Amino acid sequence: MISAEAERTAIYNEDVEINAAVMNIGADIFTYDDTDRRGSEYAAAINKLLGVIGPIVSENKGYFTNVSDTGITAVFENDCDSALVCAVTICQTALRESAETECLKGVTVGISYGSVCLSTARFERFAMPLSVSYNIHLSEALSRSAAKYNARILVSDSAVSHIPAINGRFNIRKLGMICRRDGSMAEYVYDVYDGDNVDIKYGKRRSKLFFESGVDLFLAGSFLQARTHFIELLKFNRDDRAAKQYIYTCDSCLSGEADELSKKYIEVW
């Protein structure tokens, strides 16, 4: 019987295209300036992070495909549900242990879903696993953007649509729309706040319907109404960074300073 690890190794011996949930795990260790990094310390921090999150990823039927300055990438073949459960567990672990474990500080997760090509880059004796997908870049963009909105887990609509009964099983709110800089590949993005601390989670849960109504007003081009909506929201959830970002964007739209993409998308990458 071939082990799961052997099967994964075999995958990279030929080009294989799979449908998978793609997860990018970011952390503060990936945002240091180069002048703050010392090679051996940086490598040790990444290995320590892998040691913490690796068992969680494996338990949820995922496997790592890449480590880079943008974070750690894992894929979950045809399984967005397990990917989201994994993300929540990783973020809850980081909340509990980050005070004692430096590598867990600032952990954020982005999840998307779609086609991924797995292969191997080779030249003479050099060989390295290679994973190629639009969704890899999207999951990286989501992970990078999360902290900006005081979020831990951002999930694209392509992944959300593959998770059964997501609203009854997870705490989730529609954050807005995201697109590529050329205006293509636009889709909704959601904030899954089960990985947030208790106070932030309570604030988001309490204001969810009001927040999503403001998002809908913004997407309909009713910038003045949306702005008023988010200002009211801040009266009972004053730390909502996404609401503050919408107010700033609405101001830009009303003053004529916003470009066409900014009038519809909360994030352009």
Side-chain angles (χ1 to χ4, degrees):
M1 184 174 179
I2 300 176
S3 70
E5 191 60 41
E7 287 182 355
R8 289 170 195 162
T9 301
I11 282 175
Y12 288 103
N13 289 329
E14 58 183 65
D15 291 349
V16 174
E17 196 161 320
I18 62 172
N19 288 318
V22 183
M23 173 189 293
N24 181 269
I25 303 113
D28 285 352
I29 60 172
F30 296 106
T31 58
Y32 296 156
D33 292 334
D34 286 340
T35 53
D36 295 331
R37 293 177 176 172
R38 280 189 272 176
S40 59
E41 292 181 5
Y42 183 48
I46 290 175
N47 282 322
K48 191 165 186 179
L49 179 58
L50 283 167
V52 175
I53 68 175
I56 302 172
V57 170
S58 295
E59 285 166 12
N60 286 282
K61 300 176 287 186
Y63 53 94
F64 297 117
T65 61
N66 188 47
V67 179
S68 70
D69 279 355
T70 61
I72 298 169
T73 300
V75 298
F76 300 74
E77 190 168 356
N78 288 312
D79 198 349
C80 293
D81 199 307
S82 293
L84 186 51
V85 170
C86 179
V88 171
T89 305
I90 286 172
C91 290
Q92 290 177 344
T93 301
L95 281 173
R96 289 194 308 268
E97 301 178 13
S98 60
E100 292 78 30
T101 308
E102 186 76 20
C103 66
L104 288 173
K105 290 183 177 177
V107 163
T108 56
V109 178
I111 301 174
S112 186
Y113 177 83
S115 176
V116 181
C117 178
L118 302 176
S119 185
T120 302
R122 293 187 180 88
F123 178 73
E124 295 181 348
R125 295 183 181 180
F126 170 81
M128 183 182 74
L130 181 66
S131 50
V132 182
S133 172
Y134 152 78
N135 292 287
I136 292 175
H137 298 300
L138 177 54
S139 66
E140 291 171 354
L142 293 173
S143 178
R144 285 196 308 270
S145 299
K148 178 179 177 181
Y149 303 107
N150 206 13
R152 289 275 188 166
I153 303 168
L154 295 185
V155 187
S156 72
D157 187 57
S158 59
V160 166
S161 63
H162 284 81
I163 301 174
I166 187 170
N167 281 296
R169 298 168 52 222
F170 297 92
N171 287 290
I172 179 173
R173 68 176 184 173
K174 180 170 63 180
L175 188 65
M177 291 192 75
I178 186 170
C179 77
R180 295 178 70 167
R181 194 158 298 280
D182 61 4
S184 68
M185 310 298 279
E187 61 180 301
Y188 284 101
V189 59
Y190 296 83
D191 174 3
V192 179
Y193 45 95
D194 293 275
D196 294 351
N197 69 40
V198 174
D199 291 339
I200 294 173
K201 185 188 297 184
Y202 174 74
K204 290 180 180 179
R205 182 187 294 144
R206 184 176 173 224
S207 62
K208 172 182 174 174
L209 295 178
F210 205 80
F211 179 87
E212 291 184 334
S213 295
V215 171
D216 289 339
L217 286 168
F218 176 83
L219 292 173
S222 301
F223 304 124
L224 184 58
Q225 288 178 278
R227 183 183 187 278
T228 302
H229 215 76
F230 288 118
I231 287 174
E232 285 298 312
L233 185 151
L234 290 177
K235 291 180 180 178
F236 54 89
N237 189 13
R238 63 182 182 180
D239 295 323
D240 195 318
R241 290 184 194 168
K244 292 177 181 178
Q245 180 63 34
Y246 269 115
I247 292 170
Y248 172 80
T249 304
C250 286
D251 285 340
S252 297
C253 293
L254 291 167
S255 67
E257 296 175 4
D259 59 29
E260 289 305 309
L261 291 180
S262 299
K263 292 178 180 178
K264 187 172 182 180
Y265 303 105
I266 191 171
E267 197 72 29
V268 179
W269 59 280

